[in-house]
Amino acid sequence: MYNAFGWQPPAFAHVGLLQDQDRQKLSKRKFDLSIRTFEQELGIFPEALINYVALLGWSHSQRSDFFSLQQLIDNFDMRFTKGNTIVTFGKLWHLQKHFAQLYAEQGGTEFDSIVDRIYSYVAQYSVDKQLNLILRERDLKSYLAMIVRVDAKNFTTVEDFYHRNAYFFEQIVHSDLEPGYQNQSFIHGLPILDLIKAAETISFVNAESWNSTILHSQISEMVTSSTEARGVLIDISSGMEERPSDVDQRAF
């Protein structure tokens, strides 16, 4: 037909059969997720989904599986693996985290969209009274944007983000604190006053300076007079960029 119409035929290639983890072929009956499900229900970024689908059966020579749309256009070729391809979602969530981190670094509409989605979820499921006490008259979207920038490389879904970072949206009493804990002097063998001072010190670090180097410096200066607390506090600051939920909510 192409020759009959005088058209330039495209290049064709065969992609192996896509199978589930039980090595059964994918079908509507057994694998009925639509693109709408990925986008609207799971919140997968379009670029992450395109990147993921392009990798199915493709044997590329690049050092990373992370491709922007333009990088896919520049690098895609017809080299496909022999045999069938097992479809699992681990790679998709891995790419989702990469794109979330990229959007957080770049800012712009994609990053704003992430913050807007989290804002809607927090507004729906958080307790207003507790959240207002935590915000202390700060703007909720700006507050969320700070947390997303820190936690972007762990971002998969809005729901997961909310529950992993519950400390920032709910007032949580530590399980080791007994009734009348205000009168306790130590928790886990550490002076409570030192821990309170650490939270207050971190709270003065502005959003632009929120990184492990500056946090280490702030905490190191603060704990020079408290040998007992130094090790634990430095461990906490080491995890702030990866696990902001481990940081006291007063740090914001």
Side-chain angles (χ1 to χ4, degrees), residues 63-107:
R63 300 180 63 180
S64 171
D65 285 337
F66 177 58
F67 294 90
S68 67
L69 186 57
Q70 186 59 51
Q71 288 172 327
L72 281 175
I73 294 172
D74 294 339
N75 291 281
F76 192 81
D77 54 34
M78 293 299 187
R79 292 184 299 176
F80 293 97
T81 57
K82 295 181 179 180
N84 301 328
T85 299
I86 305 300
V87 179
T88 61
F89 288 117
K91 177 66 69 175
L92 178 58
W93 294 122
H94 174 72
L95 294 170
Q96 178 84 342
K97 294 176 182 179
H98 268 279
F99 276 102
Q101 186 173 7
L102 176 65
Y103 297 153
E105 293 170 355
Q106 294 179 339

Side-chain angles (χ1 to χ4, degrees), residues 158-210:
V158 170
E159 183 177 3
D160 174 73
F161 174 89
Y162 179 86
H163 290 295
R164 279 190 301 101
N165 295 292
Y167 289 97
F168 294 116
F169 313 117
E170 305 169 6
Q171 289 190 312
I172 299 175
V173 177
H174 198 286
S175 59
D176 285 356
L177 295 178
E178 301 175 354
Y181 69 88
Q182 294 89 341
N183 298 321
Q184 290 181 230
S185 298
F186 293 85
I187 178 172
H188 286 308
L190 297 175
I192 285 182
L193 291 179
D194 281 355
L195 297 176
I196 292 175
K197 187 176 180 180
E200 291 175 344
T201 300
I202 298 172
S203 69
F204 290 107
V205 178
N206 59 44
E208 292 73 21
S209 303
W210 188 266

